[in-house]
Amino acid sequence: MSEIREESKNFIEVIIDEDIAAGKHGGRIHTRFPPEPNGYLHIGHATAICLNFSIAKKYGGKTNLRFDDTNPVTEDTEYVDAIKKDVQWLGFQWEGSELYASDYFDTLYGYAVTLINKGLAYVDDSTADEIAEQKGTPTQPGKESPYRNRSIEENLRLFEGMKAGEFEDGAKVLRAKVDMTSPNMHMRDPVIYRIKRAHHHRTGDQWCIYPMYDFAHGQSDSIEGITHSLCSLEFRHHRPLYNWFIEHLEIFPSRQIEFARRNVSYMITSKRKLMKLVQEGLVRSWDDPRMPTISGMRRRGYPAAAIRNFCDRVGMAKRDNVIEVELLEACVREELNATTDRMMAVLDPIKLVITNYPDGKTEQLIAINNPALENPTTREIPFSKSLYIERADFMEDAPKKFFRLSQGRNVRLKYAYIIHCDGVLKDENGEIVEVQCSYYENSRSGSDESGIKAKGTLHWVSAEHAIDGQVNVYERLFTDPEPTGHEDKDFIEFYNQDSLKINKNAKLEPALAQVAAKTAFQFMRLGYFYSDDEHTPSAPIFNKTVGLKGAWKPKKK
RNA sequence: UGACCCAUGGUGUAAUGGUAACACAAAGGUUUUUGGUACCUUCGUUCAAGGUUCGAGUCCUUGUGGGUCAACCA
């Protein structure tokens, strides 16, 4: 703890250090998170959010939340609200109020006029197909548009006409005049404004022309004084254009730095594919606990602190990656181990009767809430003759390594007594309906004088005191670590049919009757669980967040 | 068959040109009234071949492999 270790820096921090050393922007650091409000945020966004906010915080800087809302046909305020909620839930607060690229539409229009006046932009009447044709291919240079050399005056008049609604959608575009022979496709006279009569979620019908990403993003960065604009690797080819606009517009020189976005095994991060899961009913909603969305992870019970810690531990670089989901789960367990109360719950109950225990007797046993705490608190748990234990905790003809209940074997009931299994009761189908045991009266926890050894310890609930509840158990959503990584197969083929198991008849210890929704617990020996958004004391619903590490697994017959 | 980016244990990241480190996973062990937690041990000659250097994961060259780029999407 007292050891101060020089922490290693990622390549972005190295760049920032160099910029600070060079005296850039007076050492000021300002980043931004720029989502497009056209979908819900997922684990990939979470890592980008952590990166932008954490790095600014580390250098005493600021981070803006800016919605990149330049395409009115796909965007909606519904997403704006959800995104704001997700960012805040993750534990970050942006500088001031949230910003919008649409706030800069007037400025951006002015920038376009500036470019035209400099002879660096022109109105093109070519169709979309013709423009695509002119662009050439990565291996062949492009050709200049026949409209490329219109006069500045004509361009000014035409662009004004575009804004005034004189032309049909798609009839004309404004293009930057850069270099049709550039090996970089993005420099081949990119379209920077298009005519689109669509209702914008914030500017309504005020505009019928909208700037393209390349003419909005970098300029927005510049307007906001963003010093380091962090984006994913796929934008590497946009950087020369990003810089070209800054240079010719003579505006604040934000710097774009690309990083490799983070992929997590068994998860997908394509908005379109996520949407398909929802639309086809393969998951119940965007916040289904199986979804890799921030809202899904939240509902499942992943703590924000665990996600932040995951991002820290994963680091940042420029190579393609697939992080094992086990690391995320380890972070979740680490956080939950330190913070949750241990409760007793039986998901798949089987009756256990202690034949030599007095009828009608109830003892209140003392249970420790969270042993990971320095001064743990306790609660009482009722114990009686008739209990429920986990069906998987009993086995006939069990192997030697089975440390649980079987005929003729002893086992400790957590916080209670050591019991001896005498036999079972079966129904006409041969199904075990009851396990019969006897207890050692002097083996009670805390005052065990029996001298009897028990290899295993089971969790249990008292049948008469237990409350009924629903416990949802989730497995991986896909059966393949990279569902979208197979060219010959659709990701849906890897959908895990067993990804959701609902235990409607779970038996819960009485203390669980009073807990609020959205509360995390450890159910002893089973894993971490989180009360669902729809949980109520009269109809308890818990979601399994993640299991305990667990080593021994019964062999499947 | 162009340009650009990348290459370190199973996975993800470290390493002023100077003993390859950390975490997760896996395997084994100690402790344990959770098969949990905690603790210990094991697991890589850094894609390849040349070159520079007293010394290369790091610099240079050439390969090999992977990725990105041709929306009036972002």
Side-chain angles (χ1 to χ4, degrees), chain A residues 275-288:
Chain A
M275 174 75 84
K276 190 174 176 184
L277 291 171
V278 176
Q279 286 174 338
E280 298 196 358
L282 265 17
V283 294
R284 289 188 290 193
S285 54
W286 280 96
D287 66 349
D288 185 299

Side-chain angles (χ1 to χ4, degrees), chain A residues 262-360:
Chain A
R262 266 84 70 98
N263 305 294
V264 180
S265 63
Y266 297 97
M267 290 186 172
I268 60 171
T269 51
S270 151
K271 283 179 190 171
R272 215 195 85 250
K273 293 188 169 90
L274 255 14
M275 174 75 84
K276 190 174 176 184
L277 291 171
V278 176
Q279 286 174 338
E280 298 196 358
L282 265 17
V283 294
R284 289 188 290 193
S285 54
W286 280 96
D287 66 349
D288 185 299
R290 289 168 290 178
M291 289 284 270
T293 51
I294 293 179
S295 53
M297 293 189 286
R298 175 168 61 228
R299 189 165 186 173
R300 184 168 179 152
Y302 281 17
I307 296 174
R308 275 184 259 125
N309 188 232
F310 170 73
C311 293
D312 283 347
R313 289 217 237 171
V314 142
M316 181 51 67
K318 295 180 76 170
R319 64 187 96 119
D320 294 333
N321 60 79
V322 180
I323 302 149
E324 291 172 334
V325 70
E326 286 83 351
L327 178 58
L328 211 205
E329 292 173 340
C331 292
V332 170
R333 285 193 197 98
E334 183 179 285
E335 180 68 22
L336 262 13
N337 174 57
T339 56
T340 60
D341 286 347
R342 273 61 167 170
M343 310 300 278
M344 300 235 264
V346 177
L347 270 44
D348 184 13
I350 185 171
K351 193 75 150 290
L352 181 149
V353 173
I354 301 170
T355 52
N356 62 340
Y357 193 84
D359 288 331

Side-chain angles (χ1 to χ4, degrees), chain A residues 160-177:
Chain A
E160 205 170 312
M162 282 170 64
K163 182 193 181 191
E166 291 172 18
F167 310 112
E168 296 286 299
D169 282 17
K172 286 177 168 45
V173 293
L174 184 70
R175 286 228 253 171
K177 190 190 279 191

Side-chain angles (χ1 to χ4, degrees), chain A residues 12 42 44 52 117 136 175 191 218 285 330 361 369 380 392 416 472 541:
Chain A
I12 296 173
H42 52 62
N52 277 292
N117 276 315
R175 286 228 253 171
V191 172
S285 54
K361 180 179 178 183
N369 289 134
E380 292 186 334
N472 302 325
I541 305 174

Side-chain angles (χ1 to χ4, degrees), chain A residues 391-409:
Chain A
R391 188 168 291 274
D393 282 339
F394 177 84
M395 186 187 276
E396 289 185 289
D397 307 317
K400 217 176 176 184
K401 299 271 266 181
F402 187 79
F403 301 154
R404 312 178 190 183
L405 248 201
S406 191
Q407 286 97 328
R409 295 194 193 179

Side-chain angles (χ1 to χ4, degrees), chain A residues 342-344 354 357 361-369 377-387 412-419 439-441 443-448 457-462 465 509-511:
Chain A
R342 273 61 167 170
M343 310 300 278
M344 300 235 264
I354 301 170
Y357 193 84
K361 180 179 178 183
T362 298
E363 290 182 77
Q364 294 295 337
L365 305 177
I366 305 300
I368 296 170
N369 289 134
T377 54
T378 61
R379 69 176 184 287
E380 292 186 334
I381 303 180
F383 180 84
S384 62
K385 183 184 181 85
S386 185
L387 314 169
R412 159 77 65 184
L413 292 176
K414 183 74 181 178
Y415 298 129
Y417 300 91
I418 293 176
I419 56 172
Y439 82 122
Y440 299 96
E441 196 176 350
S443 68
R444 184 171 151 166
S445 286
S447 55
D448 186 350
T457 302
L458 305 188
H459 63 281
W460 50 271
V461 293
S462 168
H465 303 92
E509 70 161 278

Side-chain angles (χ1 to χ4, degrees), chain A residues 35 44 49 59 64 71 74 100 206 218 267 281 283 292 296 369 406 426 449-450 489-490 512 525:
Chain A
I49 291 166
Y59 286 91
N64 291 353
N71 185 8
T74 60
Y100 299 84
Q206 188 187 340
M267 290 186 172
V283 294
N369 289 134
S406 191
K426 298 184 179 178
E449 296 162 353
S450 68
K489 285 182 178 165
D490 187 75
L512 251 8
R525 300 209 306 131

